[in-house]
Amino acid sequence: MKLNIIKQRTLWWGVSVATIIIGFLAMLLSWQQFGAPLRPSLDFVGGTRLQLELVCARTESCDGPIDPAQVREILATEGLEGSSLQVVGDQQNALSIRTTTLDVEQREALLQTLEAELGDIDPTLIQIDTVGPTLGRQIFISGLTALGAAFLGIMLYLSFRFQTDYAAFAIIAILHDVLITLGFFAIMGLAFGVEADSLFIVALLTIAGFSVNDTVVIYDRVRETIRTNPGDHINDIIDAAVNQTLTRSINTTFTTVLSLVAIFLFGGETLKYFALALIVGFIAGAYSSIFVASTLLAFWRERTGNAYVKAAPPEDAEPPTDPSVPTI
Amino acid sequence: MARQRSLLLLVLILAIAAIITLINLPIRLGLDLQGGSQLTLQAQTTEAVPQITPDKLEAVRNVVERRVNALGVAESVVQTVGSNQLLVQLPGVSDPAQAERVLGGTAQLDFREQNPGTEEQLAIEFQVQQELLIEQAQLELAGDAADEDAIAANQAALERSRQAIAELFIRTELTGEKLSNAFAAPSQTGGGWEVGLEFNNQGAEEFAALTRNIAGTGRRLGIFLDNELVSGPIVDVRYAETGITGGIASISGNFVAETANDLALQLRSGALPVPVEILENRTVGATLGRDSIERSIIAGLSGLALVLVFMVLYYRLPGFVADIALVVYALLTLAVFALLEVTLTLPGIAGFILSIGMAVDANVLIFERTREELRTGKTLYRSVESGFYRAFSSILDSNVTTLIACAALFWLGTGLVKGFALTLAVGVGVSMFTALTCSRTLLLTVLSITPLRKPEYFCPNLSSSNPQAKATS
């Protein structure tokens, strides 16, 4: 298999731009609905989430599934009409309720009413998350700062290891991956109510750190090819480098995605969408390394009149020979 | 060859050491896995306390810690975060609502007067309390899960004893707000330490009245923090006429520097009514936590299995070698978690599973390079060597960028996020070692076994793409 990376670059770029535009549209739509580009979890806006399971659920002795209408009524009597509510669990005997931030007394009152109406709640299966609105902002800001710091750090490192234009296009590729993941989750939020929580920011950071790996592998090969074939046009060099490293770009992402698929399938509710975000971001990362970062670099070098690079003579490309090791 | 053999031995020893570590040193589990509550409290400023200084935050921490201890939760943690926040971890707490109520209140310090005729009763209650405290300390030292009921029963007895002592005293007007300072100082009368008290004007008058009442009677002055007696000095008979005047007093007794400081800190924290607000509450039931552990183990093992199978199918013999290195990697990483006392949270486990997938990346890079070298007609041995040599710079660069992201996460993130960053970073670090040293040594050892020295085991279809390769091997 040989890909015409450079020749078909308008196609590759088109796919990326179209995907990102669709994502932006979804984020705009989200903005209208939630006042944020993605459906925000209580980590960022504050609130209380209660997840509870009835005692009868584990012994399968419940009278039947929980009726959401009944729960909604209970919430209304507690003055919590705007809350969102989901009946979950295999037998529909578990509840997930998200309300505005409740203090201890309000929460206990709600739990007592729920117990009185629905039956006993298993205290060992309860999960309570309460985040004050001010803390939500704090989490959000520190998340964004971390993202910015990571971008800066990676940019500096790559400028130090490669040239500045390499680093700039690697950063564009990372931005590409982050935007695609954001767009994907904007759609997920609109269509399936998937929320972006603080783990989502962690996912974005991990994507930034990992997706640049493939780009680095290709750049490494570009640099090597320039050294060994100094007279070649940058387009040919990039074409060769990408094709030579294609299997490893795909396989490194594939092995990582394999372990993420395991988390997605078996890791439970908390980690499910975290794994999904990473899967989407990593696949976008492989795509952007192969098709975007490399072609942009070639395009830029051609435009700025640097298509032919005067390269340094090849450094010692051979491994040093260990005299104690016999050569076969 | 000798170098490889000793490296191989090193890897083997490390793997065995890791297994022994893991058996003897269990990895600590976060509250989301073992069940419990994690609360973030924020000290609020008031008119009287316009700014939370580190001193004041420390005083609030002291109050909160004392309350947490009164809850009787084993292995609880209270630590300060930033300039005005406290992080409280209550593993296995059975009633989070009670904990929140107790921790959320403002510290109440007040001075009380012992009721006449209760001297003997107080002495008995003191005795009882001492025994209970000793018992409690022993139970907590034993720290066995089976003793949870015993600890709870003892805790209840302690609570009753505190209540009984409190009933022997009568409240006065003198509260903590009228205490302007409390400090530990070396005793003026000789060795030992004492605790100095300073009241404001109104406090000074009330303190004089209180001490006049009880001076020389043998009845005690009860200093209560959150309704618990923290000190019960008697007042000397020489103050019987005027009481202790001037708003300055000192408590002496069997203090050493540490105990005097403790009491002064308790008094100061009571003198400083800083309300605390509960900003965040993350509570996970114990069974739910256990479910999460089970799920994570399934996810981890299946992730590992998928990667192992893929490597053998795709890379053949070197894939198998990489698999051994990967298992060694998993063992070493878990052992490092245990040794560094990393608290494993759910996101932390995700970081670890993810790092399994990333750990073989280095091997993928190396093996692809090896195949490429084989196709150019190099000998097997040199192909493997240059595979490792030439892939190194890519491996280094890609790991460093991941580490940069981890560092950003670790320094700027909050609790949950830190766990993920730390496990991923440890994983990346260990994988550099296993992918480079461990799999390289194993592969070179394999190459010394003649029947395995076939290029087809390293690169299928090689003979068709390059007939020379076989001839040269």
Side-chain angles (χ1 to χ4, degrees):
Chain A
M1 180 172 63
K2 186 160 169 20
L3 286 170
N4 276 320
I5 301 295
I6 300 292
K7 241 188 221 161
Q8 289 175 299
R9 67 184 172 204
T10 34
L11 172 68
W12 314 131
W13 293 351
V15 170
S16 286
V17 170
T19 319
I20 290 173
I21 286 178
I22 292 170
F24 264 119
L25 289 178
M27 284 190 255
L28 260 171
L29 215 62
S30 298
W31 193 281
Q32 281 187 325
Q33 276 196 25
F34 319 120
L38 285 92
R39 185 189 283 264
S41 105
L42 49 82
D43 286 0
F44 302 127
V45 290
T48 294
R49 182 176 51 223
L50 295 172
Q51 280 172 280
L52 26 104
E53 195 169 318
L54 299 182
V55 171
C56 59
R58 293 260 152 154
T59 53
E60 301 189 7
S61 58
C62 295
D63 297 335
I66 295 174
D67 176 15
Q70 191 190 0
V71 182
R72 213 157 267 133
E73 227 167 80
I74 298 169
L75 287 169
T77 55
E78 297 285 331
L80 301 166
E81 287 91 347
S83 313
S84 65
L85 152 75
Q86 242 182 319
V87 177
V88 290
D90 297 339
Q91 274 92 37
Q92 303 281 295
N93 291 126
L95 266 181
S96 175
I97 302 172
R98 181 171 160 193
T99 67
T100 51
T101 311
L102 301 180
D103 66 23
V104 197
E105 306 308 331
Q106 290 168 310
R107 194 184 75 221
E108 285 301 294
L110 175 61
L111 282 175
Q112 266 169 24
T113 325
L114 284 172
E115 276 207 306
E117 299 280 332
L118 302 174
D120 285 344
I121 293 165
D122 189 338
T124 67
L125 283 171
I126 204 164
Q127 182 172 353
I128 305 166
D129 291 277
T130 292
V131 176
T134 47
L135 191 71
R137 263 189 75 78
Q138 192 183 321
I139 294 174
F140 182 67
I141 289 170
S142 65
L144 279 191
T145 320
L147 203 58
F151 266 83
L152 197 69
I154 292 171
M155 176 101 188
L156 285 175
Y157 180 75
L158 291 182
S159 316
F160 163 71
R161 292 282 294 169
F162 298 91
Q163 281 144 335
T164 326
D165 53 351
Y166 282 63
F169 294 118
I171 290 290
I172 289 179
I174 298 177
L175 267 176
H176 166 274
D177 310 336
V178 168
L179 283 177
I180 284 182
T181 315
L182 280 170
F184 182 80
F185 270 74
I187 296 171
M188 292 294 284
L190 290 166
F192 305 107
V194 175
E195 295 173 348
D197 54 11
S198 49
L199 276 181
F200 182 71
I201 293 204
V202 177
L204 291 183
L205 269 153
T206 316
I207 290 167
F210 181 78
S211 79
V212 76
N213 287 5
D214 287 342
T215 315
V216 165
V217 170
I218 294 174
Y219 280 180
D220 234 20
R221 181 51 70 97
V222 170
R223 200 164 49 175
E224 200 184 315
T225 317
I226 289 177
R227 265 195 222 120
T228 48
N229 305 36
D232 284 4
H233 190 274
I234 185 77
N235 282 349
D236 300 330
I237 289 172
I238 298 266
D239 246 354
V242 170
N243 275 295
Q244 282 162 8
T245 52
L246 197 58
T247 337
R248 71 207 67 175
S249 299
I250 293 169
N251 281 2
T252 50
T253 302
F254 185 69
T255 53
T256 312
V257 167
L258 274 184
S259 58
L260 287 170
V261 167
I263 302 179
F264 179 76
L265 291 178
F266 310 117
E269 213 48 41
T270 320
L271 296 180
K272 194 173 182 176
Y273 292 111
F274 175 61
L276 186 63
L278 290 175
I279 292 172
V280 172
F282 286 179
I283 292 175
Y287 180 89
S288 70
S289 303
I290 299 170
F291 298 108
V292 180
S294 53
T295 49
L296 280 177
L297 181 65
F299 179 72
W300 171 257
R301 288 264 159 125
E302 208 179 354
R303 270 302 173 88
T304 52
N306 291 317
Y308 295 94
V309 194
K310 267 177 274 155
E315 288 167 36
D316 75 302
E318 280 303 298
T321 329
D322 185 346
S324 67
V325 182
T327 328
I328 302 170
Chain B
M1 277 298 127
R3 187 162 156 266
Q4 271 158 47
R5 212 162 283 150
S6 54
L7 271 175
L8 200 62
L9 198 67
L10 174 74
V11 169
L12 197 68
I13 291 171
L14 280 177
I16 293 171
I19 294 173
I20 294 173
T21 310
L22 286 172
I23 291 170
N24 294 314
L25 205 69
I27 296 175
R28 282 203 306 201
L29 297 177
L31 293 184
D32 53 350
L33 294 176
Q34 58 167 299
S37 287
Q38 174 169 309
L39 306 173
T40 307
L41 311 180
Q42 187 170 45
Q44 306 288 306
T45 53
T46 60
E47 270 179 38
V49 188
Q51 204 201 341
I52 307 291
T53 58
D55 257 12
K56 287 172 184 156
L57 188 61
E58 189 54 32
V60 176
R61 193 189 73 84
N62 184 273
V63 171
V64 170
E65 190 158 39
R66 227 170 28 79
R67 290 176 183 171
V68 166
N69 289 339
L71 283 171
V73 178
E75 290 175 47
S76 53
V77 176
V78 181
Q79 58 195 133
T80 56
V81 179
S83 61
N84 61 357
Q85 291 180 355
L86 293 175
L87 185 73
V88 181
Q89 294 189 309
L90 307 168
V93 67
S94 52
D95 187 355
Q98 188 216 353
E100 272 181 87
R101 284 194 195 102
V102 172
L103 297 184
T106 309
Q108 296 294 337
L109 177 75
D110 64 342
F111 296 79
R112 301 181 193 175
E113 182 183 330
Q114 190 184 353
N115 290 324
T118 57
E119 289 87 343
E120 261 176 51
Q121 225 175 317
L122 185 61
I124 296 169
E125 286 295 343
F126 270 149
Q127 187 71 31
V128 171
Q129 193 175 37
Q130 278 310 314
E131 280 165 16
L132 285 172
L133 282 173
I134 292 168
E135 170 98 28
Q136 186 73 11
Q138 280 168 349
L139 281 174
E140 276 172 15
L141 257 184
D144 226 326
D147 283 349
E148 254 172 46
D149 289 341
I151 292 182
N154 203 53
Q155 202 71 39
L158 259 177
E159 185 55 40
R160 190 213 55 80
S161 147
R162 281 192 197 111
Q163 204 61 41
I165 291 175
E167 276 165 18
L168 304 178
F169 288 84
I170 182 164
R171 281 177 191 268
T172 66
E173 296 282 297
L174 187 55
T175 56
E177 288 140 67
K178 295 165 191 166
L179 178 71
S180 45
N181 197 10
F183 51 89
S187 178
Q188 286 159 2
T189 54
W193 285 69
E194 58 184 29
V195 178
L197 303 175
E198 282 174 24
F199 292 94
N200 65 14
N201 288 342
Q202 203 191 344
E205 275 172 39
E206 286 169 9
F207 189 66
L210 173 59
T211 45
R212 189 173 57 231
N213 281 348
I214 56 172
T217 61
R219 284 190 287 143
R220 287 168 186 263
L221 166 69
I223 305 177
F224 283 80
L225 188 58
D226 285 341
N227 213 29
E228 183 190 342
L229 186 69
V230 292
S231 178
I234 49 171
V235 182
D236 195 89
V237 67
R238 68 192 147 111
Y239 298 111
E241 288 205 359
T242 56
I244 301 174
T245 52
I248 297 173
S250 68
I251 308 169
S252 48
N254 292 323
F255 289 119
V256 292
E258 198 191 344
T259 51
N261 267 320
D262 278 355
L263 180 59
L265 182 61
Q266 285 184 339
L267 296 178
R268 275 206 304 277
S269 55
L272 177 101
V274 179
V276 288
E277 190 195 344
I278 295 177
L279 281 192
E280 187 184 15
N281 173 0
R282 307 268 185 188
T283 298
V284 171
T287 313
L288 203 59
R290 258 199 301 282
D291 286 358
S292 295
I293 298 176
E294 262 169 41
R295 280 211 197 89
S296 320
I297 291 175
I298 296 174
L301 287 179
S302 44
L304 186 64
L306 283 174
V307 175
L308 291 178
V309 168
F310 170 77
M311 288 303 281
V312 170
L313 285 186
Y314 198 93
Y315 290 106
R316 312 290 172 98
L317 185 59
F320 180 70
V321 167
D323 282 355
I324 297 175
L326 191 60
V327 173
V328 172
Y329 160 80
L331 285 174
L332 288 184
T333 309
L334 287 174
V336 170
F337 290 163
L339 287 175
L340 292 182
E341 301 198 335
V342 173
T343 305
L344 211 54
T345 57
L346 209 47
I349 291 181
F352 172 64
I353 300 176
L354 179 60
S355 75
I356 292 177
M358 290 185 177
V360 292
D361 283 4
N363 287 123
V364 169
L365 295 180
I366 295 163
F367 299 157
E368 284 293 336
R369 190 74 207 213
T370 306
R371 284 187 175 186
E372 215 175 302
E373 304 284 327
L374 273 173
R375 288 194 192 105
T376 62
K378 283 195 183 164
T379 64
L380 191 52
Y381 194 92
R382 288 207 68 75
S383 298
V384 170
E385 273 290 357
S386 40
F388 277 94
Y389 180 75
R390 291 200 170 167
F392 180 75
S393 106
S394 304
I395 295 170
L396 182 73
D397 286 339
S398 54
N399 281 331
V400 170
T401 52
T402 305
L403 285 177
I404 289 173
C406 285
L409 274 172
F410 190 80
W411 292 119
L412 298 156
T414 49
L416 224 62
V417 175
K418 276 192 173 154
F420 172 81
L422 192 61
T423 53
L424 188 58
V426 168
V428 167
V430 175
S431 77
M432 285 281 277
F433 169 76
T434 53
L436 292 173
T437 312
C438 183
S439 53
R440 182 169 181 272
T441 311
L442 284 170
L443 208 54
L444 291 180
T445 311
V446 163
L447 280 182
S448 66
I449 305 167
T450 320
L452 293 176
R453 213 184 288 154
K454 289 194 177 123
E456 305 91 85
Y457 290 162
F458 288 75
C459 179
N461 308 323
L462 179 67
S463 40
S464 61
S465 67
N466 189 349
Q468 294 163 317
K470 204 170 186 179
T472 49
S473 61

